[in-house]
């Protein structure tokens, strides 16, 4: 469970967001949406207990009842799996070894247990066939899958994904979100995503940034023309998906 209470964040010359209050229950699959620069990545970082340099933070974040800022990094890693938006690896590890770095806080695991966990995470994302490859020799999309597998190998109760579908083709984006939703159905999952129509197809709940704060709720509460127009500063029309009966958004030119 994630509980955010009166959370505000700002730099000396900029307010990122103010007075965020929301709760994410276990077994929830929530999309984090909003314009570029709205604060999505900053929020995810704070939920993982990481305060960016120069950021002033007030308020409280409880992770399974614990103050995330009071936990050691090794303790956070056992509660949360966090996929950052960008990553430039330094070491040319094998895919197997790269995924296993997600287990750095689990020193009590045997070699057999580590190997089993890595293989299971790789199978979940269908990348077991190139476990022996070096990460410098795979594509950007394949590396993204490896990064996701490194998160899943932790078997954490909370998963925070910053743009998990980045660098993936359109078909695999849908497959990925469906796979995560199916395999992590008992966990708290929060993922940021730019494609709001994809979010509408897979998420059960939504956090939408608008005017330095957030609105939370179900699709019927979030996907309104008035609210989305305000959040993205553009005219929108909302239609129903012909097959899944989910809302789909059409962004319109401002002169319409």
């Amino acid at each position: 469970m994630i509980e955010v209470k009166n959370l505000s964040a700002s730099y000396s010359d900029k307010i990122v967001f103010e007075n965020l209050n929301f709760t994410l229950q276990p077994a929830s699959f929530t999309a984090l949406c909003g314009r570029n620069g709205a604060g999505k990545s900053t929020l995810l970082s704070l939920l993982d207990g990481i305060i960016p340099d120069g950021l002033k933070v007030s308020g409280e974040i409880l992770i399974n009842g614990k103050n995330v800022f009071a936990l050691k990094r090794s303790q956070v890693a056992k509660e949360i799996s966090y996929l950052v938006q960008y990553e430039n690896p330094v070491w040319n590890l094998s895919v197997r070894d790269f995924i296993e770095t997600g287990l750095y806080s689990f020193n009590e695991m045997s070699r057999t247990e580590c190997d089993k966990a890595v293989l299971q995470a790789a199978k979940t994302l269908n990348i077991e066939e190139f476990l022996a490859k070096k990460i410098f020799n795979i594509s950007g999309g394949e590396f993204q899958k490896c990064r996701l597998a490194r998160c899943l190998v932790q078997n954490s109760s909370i998963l925070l994904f910053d743009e998990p579908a980045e660098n993936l083709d359109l078909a695999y984006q849908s497959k990925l979100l469906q796979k995560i939703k199916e395999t992590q159905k008992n966990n708290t999952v929060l993922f940021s995503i730019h494609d709001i129509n994809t979010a509408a197809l897979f998420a059960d709940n939504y956090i939408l940034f608008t005017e330095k704060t957030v609105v939370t709720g179900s699709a019927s509460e979030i996907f309104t023309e008035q609210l989305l127009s305000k959040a993205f500063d553009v005219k929108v029309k909302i239609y129903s998906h012909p097959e899944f009966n989910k809302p789909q958004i059409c962004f319109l030119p401002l002169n319409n």
Side-chain angles (χ1 to χ4, degrees):
M1 175 186 284
I2 299 174
E3 297 172 89
V4 173
K5 302 179 179 180
N6 300 317
L7 184 66
S8 297
S10 64
Y11 292 100
S12 58
D13 59 345
K14 175 186 176 183
I15 296 173
V16 182
F17 48 72
E18 296 181 290
N19 299 320
L20 305 193
N21 289 276
F22 62 86
T23 298
L24 298 182
Q25 299 291 343
S28 60
F29 197 70
T30 305
L32 178 61
C33 305
R35 299 170 64 182
N36 288 338
K40 300 186 297 295
S41 293
T42 299
L43 175 59
L44 289 169
S45 177
L46 294 177
L47 293 177
D48 192 51
I50 300 171
I51 301 177
D53 291 342
L55 188 71
K56 181 180 179 181
V57 179
S58 62
E60 190 174 24
I61 298 174
L62 300 180
I63 302 296
N64 293 328
K66 305 169 186 175
N67 183 344
V68 71
F69 299 121
L71 297 175
K72 296 179 179 179
R73 292 310 304 164
S74 59
Q75 293 174 305
V76 174
K78 292 183 178 181
E79 302 278 351
I80 298 171
S81 295
Y82 175 38
L83 179 79
V84 298
Q85 188 171 7
Y86 302 111
E87 180 175 358
N88 293 312
V90 176
W91 305 105
N92 191 20
L93 301 174
S94 69
V95 170
R96 179 186 296 276
D97 289 342
F98 179 82
I99 295 173
E100 190 176 322
T101 60
L103 297 172
Y104 78 94
S105 295
F106 299 81
N107 296 325
E108 68 276 10
M109 294 182 70
S110 68
R111 177 74 266 159
T112 299
E113 289 172 326
C114 285
D115 289 343
K116 183 178 180 180
V118 168
L119 182 58
Q120 181 57 52
K123 284 183 175 180
T124 298
L125 296 172
N126 299 315
I127 59 172
E128 66 271 23
E129 71 276 8
F130 55 88
L131 282 171
K133 289 185 178 181
K134 297 290 188 177
I135 59 173
F136 287 0
N137 299 328
I138 60 179
S139 70
E142 289 170 338
F143 182 57
Q144 184 73 347
K145 296 174 190 177
C146 294
R147 297 176 65 226
L148 285 161
R150 184 183 58 186
C151 289
L152 297 184
V153 78
Q154 295 176 229
N155 196 30
S156 304
S157 64
I158 295 173
L159 296 97
L160 307 175
F161 295 143
D162 197 351
E163 293 292 337
E166 188 78 14
N167 293 322
L168 301 178
D169 61 69
L170 293 176
Y172 194 83
Q173 288 181 24
S174 297
K175 292 179 182 178
L176 170 69
L177 291 175
Q178 185 63 36
K179 178 66 73 172
I180 293 174
K181 188 172 184 178
E182 290 174 352
T183 60
Q184 310 300 316
K185 60 185 177 180
N186 295 320
N187 297 332
T188 304
V189 180
L190 175 63
F191 65 99
S192 69
I193 187 168
H194 283 298
D195 187 346
I196 196 166
N197 283 320
T198 298
L201 292 178
F202 293 97
D204 299 317
N205 303 287
Y206 303 86
I207 299 175
L208 176 67
F209 269 99
T210 177
E211 295 188 340
K212 308 297 184 183
T213 189
V214 295
V215 180
T216 63
S218 64
S220 62
E221 294 169 311
I222 297 299
F223 288 85
T224 70
E225 293 180 0
Q226 181 180 6
L227 185 55
L228 292 177
S229 294
K230 183 179 179 181
F232 291 97
D233 193 26
V234 65
K235 292 182 180 180
V236 302
K237 282 288 185 180
I238 299 177
Y239 301 93
S240 180
H241 193 286
E243 183 173 352
F244 302 112
N245 195 29
K246 299 278 189 175
Q248 294 288 275
I249 297 87
C250 177
F251 292 93
L252 303 174
L254 289 176
N255 59 357
N256 275 16

